[in-house]
Amino acid sequence: MRETRSISIQITHEQEGRYFTVPFDLPEHVDCLRISYRYERLQQTPDDEWTIQQKTNAVDLALIDPAGRLAGSSGTNRNHIEICGTTATPGYHPEPVMAGVWSILVGAYHIAPEGVSVDYEISWDLKERRWYTGDLHTHTLASDGVLAMDELAIHARRHGLDFVAITDHNTAVPTQSMPQIDGLTLIPGLEWTHYKGHANMLGTDAPYQGSFHADTFEAVLDHFRQARANGALIVINHPCDPPYRFHFKIEDLPHDLIEIWNGPMRESNLQAIGLWQQMLANGHKIPACCGSDYHKDSLFQFLGGPCLRVLSWSQGRDDLLAAVRQGHSYMVYGPDGPRLEFKSGAAVVGDSVRWQPDSAIQIEAERLQPGDEVRTIGKKGVIETWNVTKPGKLNATRPVAEPGFVRIEIHRRFIPGLPVFPGLLSNPIFFD
């Protein structure tokens, strides 16, 4: 939803050569800010045969955010600028649009003797929840991947991804060094890689101080505690994968999520799904996520395979990671896989609600194929299964018989003659 405000000011000739500000308020939950302005720049002087244009006014434009920082400057070169969480007009910084008092910095560079009127139009788009598709586990040339970061970013956009986390082994990538690709959010991170387990630490340039190495559990714990204190989102990676199994007790380390689907679906992923299901059944409200663990394209590995579909207020890094942390997401084998809307009244996937005798879930699944199985899963296992016989959609409302949780799985037979495997896994809605 777009809102607009107009402001007009009069600059006198006596103010030439001075700077002053024009303040304006922005509410919470703004996604993009746009400012345009106009004034009489040229004076036309008629002659007998020619009309001569002379530059009589020059009013510079810059912008200061509510924290007092310069958000950008464009002089007189542009009459329209835009700032969003992931993109901005050249000369301005992409950043989450803060609520509060912003200031247009007016530079009265040259003003005609009679002065000049300047009209500003300020508009902003309020955030609306929508689905974004991305990959939280990738590698570049900085560790053991084959693509440079800018190549990986372009590759991700071509695959239809909206966000990618860079998680090189024990190597953090500063945000400032990340390329800007239209339509793509790059998330800084690293994969803390230890001979007893791996964990992604996302959203900060440096989740901990010093080296990654740790020879005692106390040193391991210190790394995780520092990452938590620095605001990193911590993911326990591929906990059941034989070569890289997580040997620490998961409950002994601070963490936010567990990666239950790493790369192609295989036995270790099925074991991780079982581990997660048991954690949920035991009362742990732990969201799950997935990642391709991309290093290079191969027969079974590709960027965004699997990918995470995240219900976020914006494509900005902070909003995406907040939604991931809250479990507002589902995992799917690739960007072209099934789509899911999963709610209970106003509650969305990942939310907790109080169980009532009339509690119910609403399921809308799209891009289904004949042979697909849509399953609801609770703390005791499979609750109900729909067998899909023709391509299309499923719309269903079902009661929730008891407190606990409900999540959705869609299973698909990807190769004729083989059993069905998970093609989509949702996080739960919890019923307390």
Side-chain angles (χ1 to χ4, degrees):
M1 182 174 66
R2 181 165 297 185
E3 298 184 11
T4 302
R5 179 184 176 190
S6 297
I7 300 176
S8 295
I9 63 170
Q10 185 71 28
I11 305 176
T12 66
H13 180 67
E14 288 70 28
Q15 291 175 299
E16 184 177 85
R18 293 173 55 190
Y19 292 97
F20 55 95
T21 58
V22 176
F24 62 93
D25 285 315
L26 283 185
E28 298 280 356
H29 306 304
V30 170
D31 190 19
C32 283
L33 168 64
R34 299 175 179 86
I35 297 176
S36 60
Y37 74 128
R38 62 183 184 275
Y39 61 92
E40 185 179 346
R41 295 171 181 253
L42 302 175
Q43 182 181 62
Q44 297 185 355
T45 304
D47 201 344
D48 292 339
E49 297 183 6
W50 306 94
T51 297
I52 302 172
Q53 292 184 332
Q54 293 181 321
K55 191 172 185 179
T56 57
N57 295 298
V59 180
D60 290 344
L61 174 65
L63 193 61
I64 299 172
D65 71 16
R69 300 170 301 198
L70 182 68
S73 174
S74 49
T76 60
N77 291 328
R78 304 182 188 278
N79 58 17
H80 175 89
I81 63 100
E82 176 179 278
I83 295 178
C84 304
T86 57
T87 60
T89 301
Y92 293 79
H93 313 303
E95 62 175 288
V97 182
M98 302 169 59
V101 179
W102 290 68
S103 296
I104 298 171
L105 181 58
V106 181
Y109 182 70
H110 186 71
I111 306 298
E114 64 273 16
V116 63
S117 177
V118 185
D119 300 315
Y120 294 93
E121 182 174 279
I122 305 164
S123 64
W124 57 89
D125 296 331
L126 294 177
K127 295 177 179 179
E128 297 182 56
R129 268 182 171 168
R130 55 157 290 195
W131 290 100
Y132 298 92
T133 304
D135 195 332
L136 289 181
H137 194 161
T138 69
H139 297 275
T140 73
L141 284 172
S143 57
D144 53 353
V146 300
L147 298 180
M149 187 163 42
D150 57 344
E151 295 173 323
L152 180 71
I154 294 170
H155 198 36
R157 200 69 194 106
R158 287 174 177 169
H159 272 62
L161 300 184
D162 303 307
F163 65 90
V164 167
I166 307 298
T167 55
D168 283 309
H169 297 288
N170 296 323
T171 303
V173 178
T175 302
Q176 291 184 342
S177 68
M178 290 183 163
Q180 292 188 21
I181 304 294
D182 285 346
L184 183 71
T185 301
L186 287 175
I187 298 172
L190 60 76
E191 184 174 18
W192 181 79
T193 305
H194 190 275
Y195 62 88
K196 286 189 175 181
H198 298 184
N200 279 343
M201 299 176 177
L202 307 175
T204 62
D205 289 355
Y208 48 79
Q209 292 183 337
S211 173
F212 65 89
H213 76 278
D215 293 323
T216 65
F217 176 76
E218 288 70 24
V220 172
L221 182 59
D222 183 60
H223 281 82
F224 278 70
R225 284 176 172 170
Q226 284 192 56
R228 169 61 58 81
N230 289 328
L233 184 143
I234 304 173
V235 183
I236 304 299
N237 285 347
H238 40 68
C240 302
D241 193 43
Y244 313 109
R245 187 179 302 274
F246 203 79
H247 293 278
F248 302 104
K249 287 185 178 180
I250 294 176
E251 60 270 22
D252 288 346
L253 293 169
H255 63 282
D256 300 290
L257 294 101
I258 180 171
E259 183 191 66
I260 62 170
W261 190 348
N262 174 277
M265 184 55 68
R266 56 194 188 275
E267 181 62 28
S268 61
N269 287 327
L270 297 175
Q271 292 174 1
I273 295 168
L275 170 65
W276 178 54
Q277 171 68 16
Q278 190 59 53
M279 295 170 72
L280 295 173
N282 289 338
H284 298 288
K285 290 186 176 182
I286 176 73
C289 68
C290 62
S292 69
D293 206 349
Y294 180 80
H295 292 75
K296 63 179 180 180
D297 290 315
S298 65
L299 180 60
F300 295 107
Q301 186 180 57
F302 60 93
L303 192 59
C307 59
L308 194 68
R309 293 270 294 166
V310 179
L311 185 61
S312 172
W313 284 106
S314 80
Q315 198 178 342
R317 181 189 74 188
D318 293 345
D319 281 338
L320 286 168
L321 291 179
V324 171
R325 190 187 304 270
Q326 294 161 348
H328 294 163
S329 61
Y330 64 86
M331 298 147 272
V332 62
Y333 69 83
D336 59 346
R339 294 288 186 260
L340 178 68
E341 292 283 350
F342 177 39
K343 300 179 180 180
S344 178
V348 299
V349 57
D351 282 347
S352 295
V353 296
R354 182 168 296 280
W355 179 83
Q356 303 287 347
D358 60 350
S359 292
I361 56 170
Q362 297 83 44
I363 305 167
E364 296 181 17
E366 299 183 354
R367 300 187 184 180
L368 298 176
Q369 296 182 3
D372 284 355
E373 297 177 6
V374 182
R375 305 175 184 177
T376 55
I377 312 290
K379 62 182 180 181
K380 297 178 183 178
V382 177
I383 301 171
E384 186 175 7
T385 299
W386 289 268
N387 294 302
V388 179
T389 59
K390 57 184 178 180
K393 303 178 181 180
L394 169 69
N395 290 279
T397 298
R398 288 295 185 271
V400 178
E402 60 183 352
F405 66 90
V406 180
R407 60 183 182 86
I408 308 298
E409 293 186 358
I410 298 178
H411 289 236
R412 177 168 292 180
R413 182 172 286 103
F414 291 93
I415 300 176
L418 292 182
V420 295
F421 284 96
L424 182 149
L425 303 168
S426 85
N427 272 298
I429 296 177
F430 297 95
F431 294 88
D432 299 330

